[in-house]
Amino acid sequence: MIPESRNKTVAIALVSALAASALGYWGYSAHQKRELHKAVVALVTDTSARLRDALNIEAGLPPADPAATVRKLDEHAAAVDRNLTEIKRMDASRNLALADATDSYLLTVREILRYQASSHWFRLGLSESTQALRDHMRADDRSGSWVREAVRAKEQVNTDYRDYRLASGAFRTLLESFPADQAKIAPYVGASPLIDQNLVGTARERALEVSKQAAGEMEKIKQLDAYR
């Protein structure tokens, strides 16, 4: 009887140890998931705040200092890039779906900010090169050097417009696809960090208006006879 009793005691102890181990593992796993979720919410909240600020810039009046606006947008994009690096460093094996949705959201926001900054930068360059061409045309003296400079100035305008058009188009396209990325992350972070869709739409419409204005300016540039 003693050996049998001893065997039962050992068995019970083993089962208890295994149960405790399982509970410990489950507890640790749950803790890891909570920590991952907390980190994700913080990163998404910061990223969304930066995008919200950027879209408010776009939806508002034209900035008084375009260069300062570009710097601010670049800073936002760099910060989101750091957030993206941070999420990639985390052990997301406990919740791959959450990690994938977060990665997609942060990546889209970073690209939106980058193209928004680029569109403002190239728009500024276009305004400067357009003004330089107009000033040159008014100083027309029909000399050979004047013609060469006119051709060079016109080429610069065309380059700046091409770069602006590409950046602005990419910015608007990303804003159009943004709601899908936001819907993907929403179940994990709730409504609080998310961007108002009206703001996204207004920013996109404003960017389109500015693009149409630039196209109108280019039509006027075509009227300039730089080759007389």
Side-chain angles (χ1 to χ4, degrees), residues 121-161:
W121 175 252
F122 291 129
R123 186 71 179 90
L124 176 60
L126 177 61
S127 296
E128 292 175 349
S129 60
T130 298
Q131 188 58 50
L133 176 60
R134 290 197 176 102
D135 291 344
H136 183 73
M137 296 301 293
R138 283 195 289 267
D140 184 0
D141 62 6
R142 301 300 191 276
S143 65
S145 60
W146 179 89
V147 172
R148 288 192 297 273
E149 181 58 26
V151 171
R152 188 207 64 76
K154 183 71 181 327
E155 288 176 347
Q156 184 61 55
V157 169
N158 289 337
T159 296
D160 290 339
Y161 179 65

Side-chain angles (χ1 to χ4, degrees), residues 96-106 181 184-186 188:
L96 294 177
L98 171 60
D100 179 65
T102 306
D103 184 81
S104 178
Y105 182 78
L106 266 59
D181 287 289
K184 192 175 179 182
I185 193 67
Y188 301 103

